[in-house]
Amino acid sequence: MAEVKKILLIDDEKDFCFFVKQILERSGRFQVSIAHTGETGLTLAQQNKPDLIILDVMMPNMSGPDVADALLRNELLKSVPILFLTALVTEEEIGSRLMREIGGRNFIAKPVEAHKLISCIDNTMRCGDVNCGAVAR
Amino acid sequence: MIKPRILIADDEDIIIQLIKRVLTDKGYEVETAENGSVAVEKLKTNAFNLLVTDLKMPGLTGTDVLKQIKITNPYIEVILVTGYPTIEAAVEALKIGAFDFICKPFDINELVSTVERCLRKQAYAIDYVKATELRTLFEINRSVTSESNLDAYLGRILDSALSITRAKKGSLLMLDDHSRQLTVKAVRGNGDGAASAPAQLEVENTIPGRVIREGKPIVINSRESFDELMQSHPDMAPASLYTPPLASLPLRSQRTTFGVMNICEKESEEGFTEREYTLLAVLAGQGGVAIENFKLYNDLQAKIEMLEETIKKLHATQDQLIQTEKLASVGQLASGIAHEIRNPLGIIMSGLEFLKGTMKNDDPMTGESIEKMKNSILRANNIIIELLKFSRASKLELKAVDLCALIAEAAGLLEHQASLNAVEIQRQFPPLPVLIEADVTMLRQVFFNLFLNGIDAMPKGGRLSVCVTQEQSDGASWAGVNVSDTGTGIAPENLDRIFDPFFTTKEPGKGTGLGLSISHMILERHRGSIEVKSQVGTGTAFLIKLPVYAGQPAQQEEAWQK
């Protein structure tokens, strides 16, 4: 039996977080904690280092990239892989522009189907910070 | 009022003095000649209205004088006086043009009344000639503004000039500004038998050429002076064309000489009178005005056409701008609402996924319903994605590519789908690569869209042709791509709207109505253009133009969205 991975989901859309938590935990492979702001997310990550952070790009106050910067500067958390989540960019842009501007990480666009989300999570954890190019479609 | 001038010729001085006194008293200006030779000499150098001459004089007789002067001055009237009247002599005199015949000895009152009658008749005749000339000039003048056919008008000027001067031959030549050649616009009297006039004359070494060069008329009134001119200018050709007297007048406006009018060979051997010359000058002036008007009219016409062309282009640009504005506003709206719509879509999607997992029974209807709902979410999402392509603020990633290769690639992607639809894709590429500067991904999408539309328009199969050409226009090199299908065609009322965002004729869910608007936008950002032609039942053709890459670094594309 594989180890249950700890996932921190940071997104200001509460209902979205609720459903994603249910879906992921139901698979039995993940344990999901939720933060609705970047600040809370950072605090939670500090308290209980996750195996992966799913991070919404557009949030009020502290945006996704801001949170990512803070994580990178944190000795404890800088190695935690991040999966960006966004409602704004198109999938093609995920492959080019945002990657260049925010750093070589993985992205996924809303709305997302469960199996795509899970395969994206798996890819991101397997490749860590390295851009593995496996952008979900 | 000018006094009528009368010349009296008689070898008897007493008669001369008598007539002179009487006529002078009557208010005429009178001169005298003691014999025929003196009379002819005086008539040559001075203008007279009337000659009263004795029939029998030593040397030249009255009849001789009459014959000679009628050649050089057809308007002069002659009254013959004789002491030995015979019917034959009288008839002969009247035949050759005498006005009347008076017998010596004569009643002085009879002479005076004959002179008065004669002068009155002459005045009428001159008035008639003047009126005819004036009417001719008036007609010519009147039609100068209404005549649109220059050649016909110049022909009429020439005809008028010939009839006024009673000359037999004439021609009207126009100067070509570029070749400096004289082109014959109208010719009369050089037809059968006579040396036919050449269609073109050089400006150098011709009489009309000299008129053009100097801008001044040449009038040669006698055979002697004509031969003199030809001898002093042996290269002045072609002498055979002209028979003196000759008048060659420039057709000119205030600044420019446009051509020449030549009039020669009169019915009688006389030269051109002062009056005729004046009339010719008026006609030539009229011809100059006509040619200038015609040229101005043509210039104006050309300018009007240019203006209309410019207005057309302006309208096209305006349409393009409106189209661009439409697209831009849609793009801005899209990026504004995408976030707001995709978040709820994300919630619904994950909610559905959650529900799917919580279903206890494996009811196939439930599973199917959830799949249908998920598909609807993806459909909505696709529209958002298409819309977002408008709002991309990123710059084009331009590089020089072979347009043909790019098009071949896009066509290749659809080969399978085309064959499923019984559509044959025909490619026609030039032998050499057509280099353009393009964002490969975006431009490939344009052709992909166009090909897909073409295939969709041929549900019963058909032919999709793509033809690439390279052409020059407006000093620039363009690549032209013609994409045409043999499909259903686009209804005329829809043709204006096909580039509008969200306009589609496909059934719901089959198309977002954004493919062509995006293509339009992408081509515009490549400094290209797209036009459509379509006929219902025959097919549709798109013509795309893109600037050919000249090897210079591309102009930095302005940020498309502010």
Side-chain angles (χ1 to χ4, degrees), chain A residues 116-136:
Chain A
K116 284 189 184 173
L117 177 62
I118 291 170
S119 76
C120 254
I121 290 171
D122 289 341
N123 273 338
T124 311
M125 284 203 288
R126 193 164 59 241
C127 303
D129 260 0
V130 185
N131 172 20
C132 59
V135 171

Side-chain angles (χ1 to χ4, degrees), chain B residues 155-200:
Chain B
R156 286 178 54 193
I157 287 185
L158 185 58
D159 288 336
S160 303
L162 290 172
S163 87
I164 283 177
T165 56
R166 282 166 300 129
K168 289 182 186 165
K169 284 186 186 178
S171 62
L172 225 148
L173 313 171
M174 209 162 114
L175 181 67
D176 187 292
D177 295 336
H178 303 295
S179 66
R180 296 297 289 171
Q181 290 248 321
L182 286 162
T183 309
V184 176
K185 301 301 271 184
V187 63
R188 301 287 185 267
N190 252 334
D192 32 70
S196 58
Q200 294 228 308

Side-chain angles (χ1 to χ4, degrees), chain B residues 432-445:
Chain B
L432 291 174
V434 179
L435 277 190
I436 58 159
E437 241 190 336
D439 183 311
V440 178
T441 319
M442 287 202 195
L443 209 56
R444 195 168 43 209
Q445 191 195 345

Side-chain angles (χ1 to χ4, degrees), chain B residues 411-478:
Chain B
L413 290 172
L414 286 166
E415 199 73 68
H416 180 64
Q417 184 160 357
S419 66
L420 287 181
N421 287 272
V423 169
E424 178 204 356
I425 301 184
Q426 239 176 31
R427 301 167 180 81
Q428 208 180 321
F429 296 151
L432 291 174
V434 179
L435 277 190
I436 58 159
E437 241 190 336
D439 183 311
V440 178
T441 319
M442 287 202 195
L443 209 56
R444 195 168 43 209
Q445 191 195 345
V446 168
F447 291 105
F448 189 83
N449 281 346
L450 288 176
F451 297 158
L452 202 59
N453 281 347
I455 294 171
D456 283 349
M458 297 183 280
K460 291 176 189 143
R463 193 176 62 249
L464 180 75
S465 316
V466 48
C467 171
V468 181
T469 52
Q470 189 167 340
E471 50 206 82
Q472 299 281 334
S473 70
D474 300 334
S477 197
W478 292 88

Side-chain angles (χ1 to χ4, degrees), chain B residues 490-508:
Chain B
I490 301 165
E493 66 268 24
N494 289 338
L495 216 50
D496 280 348
R497 303 171 59 200
I498 59 165
F499 294 112
D500 284 357
F502 299 114
F503 179 78
T504 181
T505 54
K506 294 178 183 174
E507 47 185 290

Side-chain angles (χ1 to χ4, degrees), chain B residues 164-235:
Chain B
I164 283 177
T165 56
R166 282 166 300 129
K168 289 182 186 165
K169 284 186 186 178
S171 62
L172 225 148
L173 313 171
M174 209 162 114
L175 181 67
D176 187 292
D177 295 336
H178 303 295
S179 66
R180 296 297 289 171
Q181 290 248 321
L182 286 162
T183 309
V184 176
K185 301 301 271 184
V187 63
R188 301 287 185 267
N190 252 334
D192 32 70
S196 58
Q200 294 228 308
L201 277 182
E202 296 290 338
V203 171
E204 295 305 317
N205 300 324
T206 58
I207 293 175
R210 197 166 125 187
V211 172
I212 290 275
R213 288 199 307 278
E214 295 175 357
K216 283 190 295 197
I218 294 177
V219 179
I220 301 163
N221 266 335
S222 68
R223 166 59 69 183
E224 292 77 40
S225 40
F226 181 73
D227 292 344
E228 219 170 87
L229 176 79
M230 285 300 151
Q231 269 157 23
S232 61
H233 297 87
D235 51 351

